[in-house]
Amino acid sequence: TNQETIQSKLKQEIEQTSVDQKTAKFQCDQCEYSAVLYNNLKRHKEAKHEGVRYVCDHCEDRFKSVRILKIHIEAKHEGVQHPCDQCDYIGATSKNLLMHRKINHEGF
């Protein structure tokens, strides 16, 4: 069945991915990248080696991850903004705003 095929492919991919027993890291079989979580390795392989891109339905821009696509849609198409309460800066993400505040208003 289709489910058995998917499970077989997943099992094969896991077996082909070497695990460093000392640090429990998943090693990419195509480069030096390693990850603690299997899903991080999977996303790495999709973006770096398989050319997987996530396309914006609004403007056809392409992104390496769903997370970055979501940030793009929120900032560019939905108007989500993260304004600084101490100056005119507007961040595309809450993380950008946090870094701005640390650098410009709290010092590093």
Side-chain angles (χ1 to χ4, degrees):
T1 67
N2 193 26
Q3 183 66 23
E4 290 172 350
T5 303
I6 292 169
Q7 288 176 341
S8 174
K9 286 182 179 181
L10 182 58
K11 182 178 178 185
Q12 181 182 14
E13 186 173 335
I14 290 171
E15 288 172 354
Q16 290 174 347
T17 305
S18 63
V19 178
D20 180 343
Q21 297 299 324
K22 293 180 183 176
T23 58
K25 288 187 178 182
F26 292 92
Q27 178 68 45
C28 179
D29 59 359
Q30 299 177 40
C31 71
E32 297 298 314
Y33 177 85
S34 63
V36 174
L37 300 175
Y38 174 75
N39 281 343
N40 291 348
L41 173 62
K42 183 179 175 195
R43 282 192 294 271
H44 159 80
K45 289 172 77 172
E46 287 175 348
K48 299 293 182 184
H49 304 299
E50 297 169 12
V52 172
R53 295 293 184 261
Y54 300 90
V55 180
C56 176
D57 292 336
H58 302 281
C59 67
E60 301 297 316
D61 282 355
R62 297 172 177 269
F63 301 91
K64 291 182 181 181
S65 73
V66 172
R67 182 183 62 82
I68 297 172
L69 171 60
K70 182 177 182 248
I71 290 168
H72 162 80
I73 291 171
E74 288 176 350
K76 301 295 181 187
H77 304 295
E78 296 176 354
V80 174
Q81 297 181 339
H82 302 272
C84 178
D85 58 2
Q86 298 178 38
C87 71
D88 294 339
Y89 177 82
I90 298 175
T93 68
S94 57
K95 230 180 210 181
N96 290 356
L97 176 59
L98 180 63
M99 287 301 294
H100 162 80
R101 284 182 181 157
K102 285 184 177 181
I103 292 169
N104 294 287
H105 302 300
E106 297 173 16
F108 246 110

